[in-house]
Amino acid sequence: MSRKPPLLTGALELDLRGTVGGFPLRVALTAPAGRVTAVFGPSGSGKTSLLRAAAGLTRLSGFVRAGGAVWQDDTAGVFEAVHRRNIGFVFQDAALFPHLTVRENLRYAERRNDLAPDAAGPLSFDRVVEELGLSRHLARSPEGLSGGETQRVALARALLTGPSVLFLDEPLSALHLGARAAILRTLRQLAPEIGFAALHVTHDPGEVAAVADRIVLLAEGRVQAAGPAERIYERLDAGDRTARFEAGSLLVARMATPPDAGGIAEVDLGGERLRIPAPAGPPPGVGREVRVRVMARDVALARQRPEAVSIRNILAGEVVSVTPDRKPPDCEVVVAVAGSRLRARITDEAAQELELRPGLPIFAMLKSIAVEDP
Amino acid sequence: MIALPLVLPPTVLGFYLLIALGPDGPGGAVARLFGERSLAFSFPGLVIGSVIYSFPFTVQPIRSAFEAVGDRPLEAAATLGASPGDAFRTVALPLARPGLIAGAVLGFAHTVGEFGVILMIGGNIPGATRVLSIAIYDHVEALEWGTAHLLSAGLLVFSFLVVAWTLTLQKKRRRAPS
């Protein structure tokens, strides 16, 4: 009956297969403890089915292990019921209980977490309420809450189960950017501190850039790529056959100088300096991680270091690959800069004129940088 | 099967119930355990007959209420560590409450107004199995219009109050949380 100890235990490991929505799904993945793993893919790729099966809400064949416990192992005939798995689950529609107040919703989870940490523990009721800014809303009914408030309550409720794995099924898809930021920031901060593995399903590249330590790229029920976020991010559109959405690169830099009077801060990226608009909210301390996203269409290339140009961020690098795009007039160029990889989209004509080939020294000009700071 | 009493003529249902509850039916066997000869023409017999007859009127609203609750709240409860029984008690039942109340009210109102089945198995014995709706019929037959008026008006007021109470209860429920 009692759940397994939750704190600072192992990763989530699973290998599941079955048929969902008329196509075969076969997914093996590992989500490390203390890290946020984003499961990214177009709609219909099986993301939600995978999450539900991992949580035990539905059943596929294979095995699921987490936090030192075996949740499912078909070879041994093991299938733990959902309520015996030490999980938190944030549904897309939040699924708050409408007959209970916000406080009662949270207490519902806390009471059933029978390894509740003591009152001063890392995930006490008061701590969770404070982290998610819910103290003013405790007496309210879920029905009166805004979308952002609703999902904050849902996340708080899931955290109060003291999960070893936290599942998030596109909980932010209906929220505006400001409301998302608060939730992503909490997730990003608490996962390493508490030690749970977070599996975050999304089809929003911005969310992935902001929160993911690792990315699992899913398409048509299969893993297309998996690994550290910086490495996989540039391939986010690989599984998407229909839309060339915002292809780009994710750079993880460190704060080098605090924002100046004009709101521009400098960050350090593998020894190179980038000038970026200061992240919203309280200025991050020097040395803190800052995630920036650069769209492929915002990167221009030059053979010589350009002078007297308006673009502020110019990085010296080396061409890694040149790939004709699926849309003919364009081609994709991957450039290694300062220990990271940048993706650029330029025209075929330009690529030929510059005589781009792997190994060629090149300067990348970043027209625009988006700071994805949760 | 549950819907059968909805379409079956009350006298037909009453006839079969009369046989079942009578001395030679299973009802009679049960009655003998308590030292009675038969359940027909007795108050317990009336209760059994009314339960069967009004069953669909109670079950339908309750069933649709549980269907309206859906799986999602129960799934959420399970992810929060609630066992199926726990989730049913703390989530499904409270969420289905308006349907439970509606079912109870409909079942009660339907039973109060019942005539045919009651007449068949109750026999209209004054002081034992005479119910309001049959009493009104008797008074009209005997041309005692005053008494019939009094009882009918009483039932009218009562029915009105029940409907009004159910409506306010549902409205209050909808507004209560905010």
Side-chain angles (χ1 to χ4, degrees):
Chain A
M1 186 61 213
S2 76
R3 295 173 167 203
K4 297 284 187 294
L7 300 179
L8 292 166
T9 40
L12 168 75
E13 289 171 79
L14 61 83
D15 185 346
L16 290 169
R17 59 198 166 274
T19 305
V20 292
F23 64 87
L25 180 136
R26 173 77 204 248
V27 173
L29 65 83
T30 304
R35 296 275 177 274
V36 180
T37 301
V39 179
F40 182 91
S43 43
S45 56
K47 307 187 295 287
T48 294
S49 307
L50 171 71
L51 210 62
R52 289 176 59 82
L57 289 166
T58 50
R59 189 163 184 171
L60 298 173
S61 6
F63 75 81
V64 184
R65 287 191 291 263
V70 177
W71 286 349
Q72 178 177 355
D73 185 352
D74 287 357
T75 56
V78 175
F79 187 84
E80 287 281 4
V82 181
H83 68 279
R84 292 174 191 233
R85 301 185 184 200
N86 191 22
I87 59 170
F89 201 110
V90 184
F91 293 90
Q92 188 168 13
D93 61 2
L96 300 182
F97 300 132
H99 63 297
L100 302 177
T101 62
V102 169
R103 184 197 314 274
E104 288 163 345
N105 265 279
L106 299 182
R107 293 285 187 204
Y108 192 98
E110 193 194 26
R111 261 202 309 278
R112 283 160 182 79
N113 167 19
D114 40 38
L115 21 86
D118 52 59
L123 274 179
S124 67
F125 186 88
D126 293 342
R127 167 86 196 278
V128 170
V129 165
E130 191 200 318
E131 286 290 341
L132 288 156
L134 295 175
S135 49
R136 286 185 302 116
H137 306 301
L138 287 176
R140 293 174 68 190
S141 154
E143 279 160 2
L145 299 175
S146 72
E149 288 160 356
T150 301
Q151 287 300 6
R152 264 149 57 201
V153 176
L155 177 57
R157 190 176 68 168
L159 287 171
L160 282 171
T161 63
S164 56
V165 181
L166 181 67
F167 295 99
L168 301 111
D169 184 14
E170 303 200 41
L172 311 178
S173 55
L175 304 186
H176 62 83
L177 287 175
R180 289 193 335 193
I183 293 175
L184 292 174
R185 198 179 300 130
T186 310
L187 187 60
R188 180 114 201 98
Q189 179 195 338
L190 287 184
E193 185 190 329
I194 309 301
F196 55 80
L199 206 58
H200 181 81
V201 158
T202 179
H203 62 253
D204 183 303
E207 262 176 46
V208 175
V211 83
D213 295 299
R214 297 176 61 82
I215 299 175
V216 174
L217 205 56
L218 209 63
E220 291 166 342
R222 291 188 178 260
V223 175
Q224 307 292 319
E230 304 93 292
R231 194 156 60 73
I232 304 299
Y233 188 85
E234 63 179 48
R235 297 176 56 187
L236 281 200
D237 57 337
D240 199 328
R241 296 279 160 87
T242 51
R244 306 244 344 119
F245 70 89
E246 324 150 55
S249 333
L250 173 68
L251 305 175
V252 179
R254 304 237 160 239
M255 208 67 185
T257 63
D260 61 19
I264 299 292
E266 280 194 4
V267 294
D268 177 271
L269 178 75
E272 299 254 10
R273 287 294 173 94
L274 285 179
R275 293 171 63 77
I276 61 161
V286 169
R288 217 202 67 178
E289 175 189 299
V290 178
R291 296 168 153 241
V292 300
R293 183 154 62 121
V294 183
M295 300 294 170
R297 61 168 187 265
D298 288 336
V299 178
L301 301 176
R303 290 285 295 266
Q304 284 97 36
R305 179 175 281 277
E307 281 169 14
V309 292
S310 62
I311 288 167
R312 305 324 295 160
N313 291 306
I314 300 172
L315 297 170
E318 187 175 281
V319 173
V320 174
S321 65
V322 183
T323 320
D325 197 9
R326 286 190 287 264
K327 253 170 52 198
D330 286 347
C331 84
E332 296 264 340
V333 183
V334 175
V335 181
V337 285
S340 303
R341 283 153 67 94
L342 264 182
R343 223 174 123 172
R345 181 177 310 147
I346 59 175
T347 60
D348 276 331
E349 194 190 342
Q352 276 162 25
E353 213 174 287
L354 291 175
E355 293 171 6
L356 295 183
R357 60 182 188 278
L360 184 78
I362 200 85
F363 292 92
M365 298 179 279
L366 316 187
K367 280 181 267 189
S368 150
I369 294 179
V371 180
E372 296 293 345
D373 193 51
Chain B
M1 189 58 197
I2 273 175
L4 197 60
L6 284 175
V7 287
L8 207 59
T11 40
V12 173
L13 183 66
F15 175 64
Y16 286 122
L17 279 173
L18 183 63
I19 292 171
L21 296 175
D24 300 328
V30 173
R32 274 192 291 284
L33 294 177
F34 299 95
E36 301 282 337
R37 205 177 68 83
S38 152
L39 277 177
F41 310 115
S42 71
F43 186 74
L46 278 193
V47 172
I48 293 171
S50 299
V51 165
I52 293 171
Y53 183 56
S54 294
F55 206 54
F57 292 85
T58 306
V59 168
Q60 290 295 358
I62 293 177
R63 177 189 284 173
S64 6
F66 279 117
E67 277 168 6
V69 170
D71 290 339
R72 183 45 61 83
L74 295 173
E75 286 183 351
T79 66
L80 298 174
S83 67
D86 182 6
F88 179 76
R89 218 166 23 80
T90 55
V91 174
L93 272 186
L95 287 178
R97 204 177 68 146
L100 299 180
I101 293 172
V105 169
L106 269 175
F108 182 74
H110 188 249
T111 307
V112 166
E114 186 17 42
F115 192 90
V117 174
I118 298 297
L119 197 57
M120 292 290 276
I121 61 176
N124 194 20
I125 302 166
T129 61
R130 168 181 274 190
V131 300
L132 259 178
S133 48
I134 300 178
I136 292 172
Y137 176 78
D138 281 348
H139 289 306
V140 173
E141 284 280 274
L143 299 176
E144 293 159 8
W145 289 69
T147 326
H149 262 305
L150 195 68
L151 292 177
S152 299
L155 272 184
L156 182 67
V157 171
F158 170 77
S159 308
F160 178 78
L161 288 179
V162 166
V163 170
W165 176 70
T166 330
L167 285 180
T168 39
L169 208 70
Q170 281 172 353
K171 221 178 271 166
K172 207 193 281 173
R173 220 201 101 68
R174 236 177 284 137
R175 229 181 301 128
S178 38

